[in-house]
Amino acid sequence: MVNKKWAVKRLTVNLTATETQKLSQYCAKTGRPINDVIRALLRSLKVDSDEASEISPDSKVSELAGLLV
């Protein structure tokens, strides 16, 4: 089996206490590590130039928050 090599970029995200609690509860409920959840959320983002230009930043934040519910 070949090991996956990850290009690592460390990222700091400032979350409110409520956001942190919600993320922790989601991870505990699903048994998934926080890193996996964040990566899955990022992979779900649309990045095509046409799609991205039509999406407001606030709507993306709402979409991400909805995925954690």
Side-chain angles (χ1 to χ4, degrees), residues 31-54:
R32 296 172 64 194
I34 289 174
N35 286 338
D36 289 354
V37 171
I38 298 298
R39 278 195 298 269
L41 290 170
L42 290 171
R43 288 181 192 127
S44 73
L45 296 176
K46 296 175 184 165
V47 293
D48 292 341
S49 59
D50 291 340
E51 293 171 346
S53 65
E54 297 173 9

Side-chain angles (χ1 to χ4, degrees), residues 4-22:
K4 268 189 176 180
K5 290 187 178 183
W6 293 90
V8 176
K9 171 84 175 179
R10 199 162 293 276
L11 176 68
T12 301
V13 179
N14 296 318
L15 301 173
T16 66
T18 302
E19 292 165 339
T20 302
Q21 182 181 18
K22 186 181 245 187

